[in-house]
Amino acid sequence: KQEVTQIPAALSVPEGENLVLNCSFTDSAIYNLQWFRQDPGKGLTSLLLIQSSQREQTSGRLNASLDKSSGRSTLYIAASQPGDSATYLCAVKIAPGYSTLTFGKGTMLLVSP
Amino acid sequence: ETGVTQTPRHLVMGMTNKKSLKCEQHLGHNAMYWYKQSAKKPLELMFVYNFKEQTENNSVPSRFSPECPNSSHLFLHLHTLQPEDSALYLCASSQDSRINYGYTFGSGTRLTVV
C-alpha cells in the first residue's frame, strides 16, 4: 500500500527565506505527483504536477523536483512571503486511469513578516 | 470561490439526524469526488463519479450515501453518523477521472457530529 510522508509537519520562517518542503512515498511506481496548497478552512489549490518521466516543474517562485527511484519529491519556495503561509500537501497517483490520489498529511508553513 | 461550490459551509448534527451535503460545479467537468479530511490524518478519497456513474467507493460505511443526479451536482447523504465522522468534507471535480490532472476543489463543509 502506497504511503506518503511529509516532513516537517510544521515550519515557521521569517519573510524572505528560501525553504524546502519534503515528500517521500513508499512505492516508487507512481504515475505522477502533485503539490497542493490549502489555506485554513478552504479547499485545495493545485500548484504543480510532475509526471513520472519528469524531474522537475517550475511555477514562479515554486520549483518541485521528483526523484522517483528514491521515492522523494521536494518543493522549493524562493523568497518566501507571508502570503505563502498555508498547508502544503503532496499527493501521488499510482497509475493512469486509476483516479485515487494518495495524500500526505501536509506541512503547515508560517511565514512571518 | 474556485468554481466548485459546497453547501453548507458548516454543519452540526446529532447522531440520529439525517442531513445532506451538496456540491455543484459549472466547469464542464464530468468527474466529481468526495474526500474526507480529518485532523491529523491524510486526505481520504471516499467516492468517485465519472459521467454520473460511481466508479469508486473506497470502503466507506453505508451511513454515507452519495448521489450524482448529473455531472454538475454531487450530494453526500448522511444518517446515523458517529462523532468520529466529524471532519472537513471536500468535493472536487475534474474533466474525467481517467485524466490525471486538473482537479478543482471546493472549500469544504465542516461537519461536527454531536
Side-chain angles (χ1 to χ4, degrees):
Chain A
K1 181 186 172 187
Q2 178 75 269
E3 291 186 5
V4 179
T5 303
Q6 291 188 245
I7 295 173
L11 181 63
S12 182
V13 300
E15 182 178 6
E17 273 203 11
N18 301 325
L19 56 99
V20 174
L21 308 181
N22 297 291
C23 172
S24 61
F25 41 95
T26 53
D27 187 343
S28 62
I30 65 168
Y31 189 70
N32 64 37
L33 181 145
Q34 295 187 65
W35 283 93
F36 293 87
R37 168 187 172 138
Q38 185 175 27
D39 292 283
K42 299 288 183 65
L44 279 63
T45 301
S46 181
L47 297 174
L48 290 165
L49 168 71
I50 311 178
Q51 301 290 355
S52 61
S53 58
Q54 297 175 321
R55 297 284 297 186
E56 65 177 338
Q57 283 287 334
T58 298
S59 175
R61 294 182 293 107
L62 304 179
N63 176 277
S65 67
L66 175 64
D67 184 343
K68 207 172 75 158
S69 61
S70 66
R72 294 172 191 251
S73 175
T74 61
L75 179 67
Y76 175 82
I77 303 178
S80 59
Q81 303 171 357
D84 295 330
S85 299
T87 296
Y88 290 81
L89 296 161
C90 167
V92 299
K93 190 173 179 78
I94 61 173
Y98 188 76
S99 55
T100 299
L101 291 175
T102 302
F103 282 83
K105 294 182 182 180
T107 294
M108 187 182 303
L109 173 66
L110 177 64
V111 181
S112 52
Chain B
E1 291 295 343
T2 62
V4 175
T5 303
Q6 290 187 242
T7 54
R9 294 296 300 272
H10 300 273
L11 177 62
V12 179
M13 60 185 289
M15 288 189 283
T16 58
N17 291 160
K18 289 185 180 181
K19 296 285 185 183
S20 296
L21 310 185
K22 180 181 177 182
C23 177
E24 185 173 355
Q25 58 89 10
H26 295 288
L27 300 169
H29 289 170
N30 298 296
M32 297 188 78
Y33 312 78
W34 280 116
Y35 281 88
K36 176 183 179 182
Q37 188 174 36
S38 305
K40 310 291 186 186
K41 293 176 72 174
L43 208 64
E44 299 171 80
L45 178 69
M46 299 176 73
F47 301 104
V48 181
Y49 280 82
N50 204 38
F51 293 89
K52 299 192 297 180
E53 297 296 320
Q54 187 180 126
T55 59
E56 285 190 53
N57 175 338
N58 200 23
S59 302
V60 180
S62 60
R63 57 185 184 270
F64 295 91
S65 175
E67 179 189 1
C68 188
N70 54 63
S71 291
S72 298
H73 294 85
L74 183 66
F75 296 90
L76 188 62
H77 303 299
L78 316 171
H79 65 97
T80 57
L81 294 192
Q82 305 297 313
E84 59 264 29
D85 297 323
S86 298
L88 180 68
Y89 288 85
L90 291 167
C91 174
S93 70
S94 69
Q95 186 62 42
D96 185 319
S97 67
R98 295 164 295 182
I99 297 173
N100 309 301
Y101 55 87
Y103 300 94
T104 301
F105 280 80
S107 297
T109 294
R110 174 69 63 184
L111 173 67
T112 303
V113 181
V114 298

